[in-house]
Amino acid sequence: MFRPLKPYQLAVDVSVAALALGLVLGVAYGWAGAQSLLGSVPVVPGGTAGTFVLPTVPLVPLAVVVVATAILTLIAAVVPTRLATRVAPVEALAG
């Protein structure tokens, strides 16, 4: 049996999935861009190029993105839900 979802649960689920996918793809594409730009730069002047750039993730901007996403999700989901539950379904359909 399925349990009924809270009105804002779908918005939270979609936001968490989008955040996780966005972070993974952002790190992957950012690393690929950094590798293509910085991988051909010689480390030692006059040395050979072609070094491997390790991916790094800055934790402070990552935490800011996660917290901002959580706050915006709650605002975008809870406020319309509260407004919609104040109106009776018959009144909403009537006009």
Side-chain angles (χ1 to χ4, degrees):
M1 286 238 163
F2 295 108
R3 61 181 168 87
L5 292 176
K6 295 178 182 175
Y8 55 86
Q9 187 65 40
L10 181 62
V12 171
D13 291 345
V14 169
S15 295
V16 168
L19 177 67
L21 184 64
L23 288 175
V24 168
L25 289 177
V27 168
Y29 285 124
W31 174 68
Q35 181 64 39
S36 67
L37 288 174
L38 302 174
S40 61
V41 176
V43 177
V44 180
T48 60
T51 60
F52 184 73
V53 178
L54 294 175
T56 59
V57 179
L59 294 179
V60 173
L62 180 70
V64 169
V65 167
V66 170
V67 170
T69 301
I71 291 171
L72 291 175
T73 298
L74 288 175
I75 291 171
V78 172
V79 173
T81 301
R82 286 185 183 244
L83 293 175
T85 55
R86 292 182 183 166
V87 179
V90 175
E91 291 177 24
L93 291 174

